[in-house]
Amino acid sequence: MVSLLPAINSQRTSICFSLTSSSAPSIPRPAVILPGLGNNTGDYEGLMATLKEGYNVPCVVARVSRFDWLRNASGLVDPNYWKGTLQPSPVLDWYLKRVEKAISDAKLLCTDENKGVSLIGHSAGGWLARVYMHKFGFSDISLLLTLGCPHLPPPKGVQGVIDQTRGLLDYVAMNCPPAVYTPELRYVCIAGRYIQGARLTGGSNSPPDEHTSGDTNSDGDHSLPNEGNSKNVPTGPTFQARFVGQGYKQVCGKPDVWGDGVVPEMAAHLEGALNISLEGVYHSPVGSDDHTRPWFGSPSVVDKWAHHLLN
């Protein structure tokens, strides 16, 4: 069943799916997969195979190695890094060139020149796609679909919060085109709800948010309550929830929110986009398991969003 929940606010369209719905395949267009921070091309082989074999979507993954990410260290010599006002160029030009090459390769797979390509940006690959579209245009792009992407800059003035992007997300928020959902160009932002974070100290989380599932507890165990056995009921947040909460805090300023284990749900959505939340979905292909810890690219999860790639 598909459960449609109210929008998080009046300016965003938010949908929350369980992992039991299915989608019907349609006419595909080429997709370009953009790796997230620390990931490499090989991490997305399973996702590429699922899209090709299950939905007949031809795919290209931008060529990125784990070693490539060390190039970002060049930003350390930029005074803007230390001021927190870093800009994408020149530190991320290497990644944008990989995106350009991948899009060029994908266009060779197009059967209809008027259809354009789909960009699938995982994690930082999502906002890097927005930077690419800002700098190079988007006439060849018909869809930007992001998976667990931290779109929003962290709030200013929150104690203990340090902008991990050193101003890059501020640049994105101020300079990149706003998200839209039109026949010509669609933004689809998908967030995962794998585990709720917790404060570092204190005995319990804040009250569940409006999207909290009744069968999900604070440490992300998606199981039904243990009736009649109080010994197995947690008395407070687990160490994992507290640890994850500190990561969430660095992204959105709050530890006790839901997210995919790395990126909070609230940071993975964009005003103007079609915003979707998927229950029980983990952030990364690294450390995931298609059955016990599915990530955005696991076959059962892809089935919830692959229809956006089809006409």
Side-chain angles (χ1 to χ4, degrees), residues 8-92:
I8 293 178
N9 60 51
S10 60
Q11 296 177 312
R12 298 192 305 183
T13 303
S14 294
I15 306 174
C16 190
F17 289 90
S18 69
L19 293 181
T20 55
S21 66
S22 60
S23 57
S26 185
I27 303 173
R29 59 182 172 271
V32 175
I33 300 172
L34 305 181
L37 179 65
N39 291 111
N40 65 18
T41 302
D43 291 337
Y44 302 90
E45 290 180 353
L47 171 57
M48 184 168 64
T50 297
L51 290 175
K52 284 184 176 180
E53 298 170 7
Y55 305 91
N56 197 31
V57 175
C59 296
V60 175
V61 183
R63 302 301 302 178
V64 176
S65 69
R66 298 197 206 284
F67 179 79
D68 281 328
W69 293 104
L70 296 178
R71 299 168 184 262
N72 293 0
S74 63
L76 293 172
V77 301
D78 188 335
N80 289 305
Y81 177 93
W82 305 103
K83 296 176 184 177
T85 56
L86 192 64
Q87 296 190 11
S89 294
V91 66
L92 289 169

Side-chain angles (χ1 to χ4, degrees), residues 166-181:
R166 308 309 300 147
L168 288 170
L169 283 177
D170 284 314
Y171 175 94
V172 172
M174 291 186 292
N175 294 279
C176 292
V180 295
Y181 193 80

Side-chain angles (χ1 to χ4, degrees), residues 101-209:
K101 178 61 166 62
I103 290 177
S104 177
D105 291 344
K107 287 168 63 177
L108 298 177
L109 305 175
C110 285
T111 56
D112 184 345
E113 294 182 357
N114 297 320
K115 283 169 43 171
V117 302
S118 300
L119 297 185
I120 303 173
H122 170 236
S123 195
W127 61 260
L128 282 164
R130 295 170 62 196
V131 172
Y132 175 88
M133 294 165 70
H134 165 58
K135 289 185 172 292
F136 296 91
F138 42 85
S139 60
D140 295 326
I141 300 168
S142 57
L143 169 70
L144 171 60
L145 185 145
T146 64
L147 305 171
C149 172
H151 283 291
L152 307 179
K156 305 293 188 294
V158 178
Q159 185 176 5
V161 174
I162 300 175
D163 181 3
Q164 306 296 312
T165 70
R166 308 309 300 147
L168 288 170
L169 283 177
D170 284 314
Y171 175 94
V172 172
M174 291 186 292
N175 294 279
C176 292
V180 295
Y181 193 80
T182 66
E184 295 77 24
L185 177 63
R186 293 174 292 150
Y187 283 62
V188 178
C189 301
I190 302 179
R193 287 171 53 86
Y194 178 74
I195 181 172
Q196 183 181 15
R199 299 179 184 276
L200 193 59
T201 59
S204 62
N205 283 334
S206 60
D209 61 42

